[in-house]
Each structure stands twice: as structure tokens, then as C-alpha cells.
């Protein structure tokens, strides 16, 4: 059998426009999730906040962007606002100047950028509580062109009733993230085989200009540690597993969606 029919979707992922092919199954999965969330939000009668966590390279930013786009195209669904955790990186000047203790070793922040300790959790907690209150919120984003945080870049209006936050550490049991993981009304953890994530993450760094050797070293020092920590310390009400071809399965085993081989990984 050949590949299933794919639909190319224009998205903006991490601020970058891209043309991403998805299978019919993935589109159906997203519509099913949106229908579930819309129904639940209307039962709650207030803003519903969803956390989507995943290790680096698992495609969470792309999935969040697809969900937001599809929600705006389906009149039966509540429009979904997708927000990135990456805006809560410490600012570049802080990361350049400070060191941090990671797994028992003190290292410069710039050498482990992206790990749990390089995020401003106190600021995230403040903003997330504002989000859960239903008020208007100004949310930061990470700009990959300037490699720094842009404060107040995303406006969440008070009438936004369905909001998804995506990021690596949202559902971690490690302190202090264990203090905010229960703020979500629903939680999803997307996981994939570590070897698959390794290949993707090294390829991503190589596409960004690093030599293969430098990309492997960055994986050893940073990305690989983050993959291990997310997989070891995160849990959710709903588990999704991604296979080698981008197919997404619930933890029980039956396939419920299938991503694209050429997907832009978040």
C-alpha cells in the first residue's frame, strides 16, 4: 500500500511560515480533539486551558499550530489560541551572564539553553494564573531570528475561551514545575522513541549551520539531556505516542492519527 492521502497546510511554526503535509488521519484526529475541547469548554462555562508537553523534536509546536488553524476554519469549534512556553526563556543577556546547576554540575546557562533551569518559572506561573482567570493576557514569545525573548508579543483577548500552551516542561514533576502542572483543565503528553528524536534533533542543528560533530556534541550536552528528563519526569491525563513515520497513537495502542514524513518539528 502507498502512503495515505496528504493535505498540505500553510502554517506559521515558531514564527516561520511553512507548507506542511498531513495525512487525512491527522486532520481527523485534530478535529476530534477540537470537538472534545469545545464540548468541555462549554460545560465549564469559562476559559479552558490545555497543556501539551513533549520532549524536544516531537513536533508539539507544529501540532499546536495545526490545531489553531483548523479551529478557526470550523464554525462548530471554539477558536483555539496556541501559546508557546519558549517565551519564558530567560532573556539572552541573563543566559549569557549566568551559570546554573544542572544534574549536579554547575555550567554556563548558554551551554544548556533550553533546559528546565534556563526558563523563568516564576514569570510563567504569574502569566499562567492570569490566563486561567479568564482575563486578557500579554504573552511573550521567543524570536529565533534574534535568539531572544520578545515580551508581550502575543495578545490573548478576554473572549478567548480555548487556550493551548505547548512546551517541554509543562507537565514535569521536577520543582518548581510541579507547582503549575495542575493549572491546566486538560493535559496531553506527546512522546516518541529517543533514537528517533536524536536523529531529528541532530539534523535540525546541522540544518541550522552546525557541523555534524558540533550538532552531536550539542545533543550530548543539552538536547539529549532534555529528552531524557522530559520522558522521565512528565506525565499527563492523555498520552500520545508518535512513531517513526510521524503517526500518533494513544498509549493503549490503536492508531488515531498519522503525521507527515516531512513535518516541521517543533
Amino acid at each position: 500500500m502507498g502512503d495515505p492521502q496528504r493535505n498540505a497546510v500553510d502554517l506559521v511554526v515558531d514564527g516561520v511560515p511553512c507548507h506542511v503535509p498531513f495525512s487525512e488521519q491527522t486532520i481527523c484526529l485534530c478535529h476530534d480533539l477540537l470537538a472534545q475541547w469545545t464540548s468541555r469548554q462549554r460545560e465549564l462555562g469559562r476559559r479552558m486551558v490545555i497543556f501539551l508537553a513533549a520532549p524536544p523534536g516531537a513536533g508539539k509546536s507544529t501540532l499546536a499550530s495545526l490545531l489553531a488553524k483548523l479551529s478557526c476554519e470550523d464554525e462548530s469549534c471554539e477558536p483555539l489560541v496556541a501559546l508557546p512556553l519558549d517565551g519564558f526563556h530567560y532573556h539572552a543577556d541573563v543566559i549569557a551572564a549566568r551559570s546554573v546547576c544542572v544534574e549536579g554540575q554547575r555550567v554556563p546557562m548558554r551551554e544548556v539553553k533550553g533546559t528546565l533551569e534556563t526558563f523563568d518559572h516564576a514569570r510563567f506561573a504569574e502569566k499562567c494564573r492570569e490566563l486561567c482567570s479568564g482575563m486578557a493576557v500579554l504573552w511573550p514569545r521567543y524570536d529565533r531570528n534574534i535568539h531572544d525573548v520578545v515580551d508581550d508579543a502575543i495578545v490573548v483577548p478576554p473572549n478567548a475561551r480555548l487556550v493551548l500552551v505547548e512546551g517541554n516542561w509543562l507537565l514535569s514533576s521536577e520543582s518548581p514545575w510541579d507547582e503549575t502542572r495542575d493549572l491546566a483543565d486538560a493535559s496531553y503528553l506527546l512522546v516518541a522513541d529517543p533514537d528517533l528524536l536524536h536523529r531529528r534533533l541532530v539534523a535540525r542543528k546541522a540544518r541550522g549551520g552546525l557541523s555534524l560533530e558540533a550538532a552531536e556534541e550539542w545533543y550530548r550536552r543539552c538536547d539529549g539531556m532534555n529528552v531524557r528528563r522530559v520522558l522521565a519526569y512528565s506525565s499527563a491525563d492523555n498520552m500520545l505516542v508518535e512513531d517513526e513515520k510521524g503517526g500518533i497513537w494513544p498509549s493503549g495502542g490503536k492508531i488515531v492519527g498519522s503525521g507527515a514524513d516531512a513535518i516541521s518539528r517543533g
Side-chain angles (χ1 to χ4, degrees):
M1 294 179 65
D3 286 345
Q5 179 67 39
R6 297 189 182 277
N7 297 289
V9 181
D10 290 317
L11 298 175
V12 178
V13 182
D14 293 331
V16 179
C18 52
H19 196 59
V20 187
F22 294 96
S23 72
E24 290 282 358
Q25 288 176 303
T26 296
I27 302 297
C28 289
L29 169 64
C30 289
H31 281 299
D32 287 346
L33 289 173
L34 290 167
Q36 293 172 31
W37 298 341
T38 295
S39 177
R40 179 57 178 154
Q41 185 278 319
R42 290 171 181 169
E43 289 176 2
L44 292 171
R46 57 167 172 78
R47 178 179 289 165
M48 179 178 175
V49 176
I50 302 150
F51 283 178
L52 171 65
K60 60 193 173 299
S61 299
T62 302
L63 179 59
S65 297
L66 177 63
L67 285 161
K69 182 179 178 67
L70 293 178
S71 74
C72 294
E73 296 174 348
D74 187 341
E75 293 183 357
S76 69
C77 292
E78 190 67 37
L80 178 134
V81 176
L83 300 174
L85 177 63
D86 278 355
F88 294 94
H89 273 97
Y90 285 108
H91 278 276
D93 57 344
V94 173
I95 287 179
R98 291 187 186 175
S99 62
V100 66
C101 187
V102 179
E103 296 190 331
Q105 294 189 343
R106 182 153 291 276
V107 293
M109 267 193 178
R110 65 179 180 274
E111 293 185 4
V112 290
K113 186 175 181 179
T115 201
L116 180 150
E117 290 82 4
T118 64
F119 283 80
D120 187 345
H121 178 267
R123 187 161 175 257
F124 168 74
E126 177 186 0
K127 288 289 186 180
C128 200
R129 289 190 173 96
E130 290 178 8
L131 195 66
C132 293
S133 74
M135 64 191 297
V137 180
L138 295 176
W139 195 268
R141 70 175 178 87
Y142 187 82
D143 189 321
R144 296 183 184 276
N145 294 314
I146 63 173
H147 302 290
D148 203 357
V149 172
V150 179
D151 292 320
D152 302 339
I154 303 171
V155 179
V156 183
N159 63 348
R161 292 184 286 269
L162 197 58
V163 179
L164 180 144
V165 184
E166 55 88 4
N168 296 335
W169 308 108
L170 293 169
L171 300 175
S172 176
S173 61
E174 293 190 76
S175 179
W177 296 87
D178 57 340
E179 300 171 8
T180 47
R181 53 179 291 159
D182 290 334
L183 291 176
D185 295 295
S187 59
Y188 288 76
L189 179 63
L190 172 64
V191 300
D193 183 85
D195 290 338
L196 172 62
L197 298 176
H198 180 183
R199 296 194 299 272
R200 287 179 182 167
L201 290 164
V202 169
R204 176 193 292 176
K205 285 295 183 182
R207 288 195 302 270
L210 291 184
S211 67
L212 186 59
E213 293 76 11
E216 285 283 2
E217 173 60 19
W218 179 261
Y219 182 86
R220 184 195 65 77
R221 188 174 68 243
C222 188
D223 278 344
M225 174 179 61
N226 292 340
V227 167
R228 292 192 301 274
R229 288 177 75 177
V230 171
L231 294 177
Y233 294 104
S234 298
S235 62
D237 298 330
N238 304 279
M239 301 284 290
L240 301 173
V241 181
E242 186 178 11
D243 64 22
E244 285 275 347
K245 294 184 177 181
I248 300 175
W249 305 64
S251 58
K254 181 182 177 182
I255 190 166
V256 294
S258 178
D261 295 333
I263 196 170
S264 171
R265 300 293 166 188

